[in-house]
Amino acid sequence: MPLLLGLTGNIASGKTTVGKMLLELGAARYIDADEVVHRLYAKDQPIYTGVVAAFGEEILTPEGEIDRRKLGAIVFNDAEKLKQLEGIVHPAVGLALAQEIQTLPDEAVAVIDAVKLLEGGLGALCHKRWLVVCQERLQLKRLMGRDGFTEEEARARLRAQPPIKPKLKLVDEVIDNSRTLGHSRAQVKAAWARFREPEAPEEEIPLLF
């Protein structure tokens, strides 16, 4: 079975950045659960019907595709509706990820990036679990700059994220992505060395989080 490194963290914390660093360090595959969700929202996928049935055709684009921004405006302002959406999406995503893992060679190291890695059963499949954290003001700035959200839209998404503190006891490494790219890279490199060589001495890197 391939070595699985679980990567989690809340929205706009910098998981993708860390994932790219891991590919540079030798990980064979980076599997982004959010990209899997994008694929599963397509018309020919089974969750399309469930999502449209649950939230109505007003979430569709003129071409009949699911408009994630319209859907987000509904679910990120209503905890029950978000839970309803997750109940439709998460089982399909878990199945798709499991199928992708099965295609990996036994000697590979694969990184699985998922916001709900620890809340579902996926985290239990991983040999190690890393948490990427970031100061909220930077997450807000990234959401508004990267995705074009208004401040209200960005804050709604941040409010809907699971709390960080309980996760700290459930992970093997914490990567603080609140400073420079170089600071993040140093943490990732040191954590990767410990992952590949568990007896490697731990390098002290000051964190802000």
Side-chain angles (χ1 to χ4, degrees):
M1 182 177 177
L3 283 174
L4 301 180
L5 175 55
L7 190 63
T8 192
N10 285 347
I11 191 170
S13 59
K15 297 189 303 301
T16 302
T17 297
V18 171
K20 289 178 180 177
M21 291 177 183
L22 288 168
L23 286 174
E24 293 170 1
L25 288 169
R29 186 85 65 86
Y30 171 61
I31 304 170
D32 186 343
D34 197 49
E35 289 184 2
V36 174
V37 172
H38 273 281
R39 294 202 305 266
L40 295 179
Y41 274 147
K43 284 183 179 181
D44 61 342
Q45 296 296 322
I47 70 168
Y48 176 93
T49 302
V51 171
V52 174
F55 298 98
E57 294 187 359
E58 61 267 25
I59 65 168
L60 299 178
T61 66
E63 295 73 32
E65 301 290 347
I66 292 175
D67 186 325
R68 294 188 71 181
R69 189 156 185 165
K70 290 180 180 178
L71 181 59
I74 296 172
V75 301
F76 288 118
N77 288 289
D78 188 320
E80 285 302 314
K81 290 188 181 298
L82 179 59
K83 186 176 180 180
Q84 182 182 11
L85 176 65
E86 290 174 344
I88 297 169
V89 173
H90 285 179
V93 172
L95 178 61
L97 290 174
Q99 291 172 340
E100 191 156 350
I101 290 168
Q102 289 175 357
T103 67
L104 297 169
D106 287 342
E107 67 277 8
V109 176
V111 178
I112 302 176
D113 172 347
V115 171
K116 293 295 184 74
L117 180 86
L118 302 173
E119 289 80 359
L122 189 59
L125 299 177
C126 298
H127 295 84
K128 295 292 182 180
R129 289 150 291 277
W130 291 15
L131 173 66
V132 182
V133 297
C134 181
Q135 293 179 352
E136 186 173 303
R137 62 180 180 81
L138 295 177
Q139 291 175 271
L140 186 67
K141 183 178 179 181
R142 288 171 185 166
L143 282 172
M144 294 172 67
R146 182 190 70 188
D147 299 327
F149 291 133
T150 65
E151 183 173 346
E152 182 180 352
E153 289 174 323
R155 289 193 182 280
R157 282 156 176 77
L158 289 176
R159 286 194 300 269
Q161 300 297 295
I164 287 293
K165 193 171 182 179
K167 296 183 179 184
L168 296 174
K169 297 179 181 179
L170 303 175
V171 297
D172 303 285
E173 301 281 356
V174 178
I175 306 297
D176 181 359
N177 196 35
S178 299
R179 292 190 186 180
T180 65
L181 195 62
H183 184 256
S184 296
R185 191 181 301 278
Q187 295 172 74
V188 172
K189 187 176 180 180
W192 175 259
R194 291 190 290 271
F195 174 66
R196 298 301 284 157
E197 300 179 30
E199 300 305 318
E202 185 168 348
E203 182 179 347
E204 289 292 333
I205 299 174
L207 305 180
L208 284 179
F209 196 83

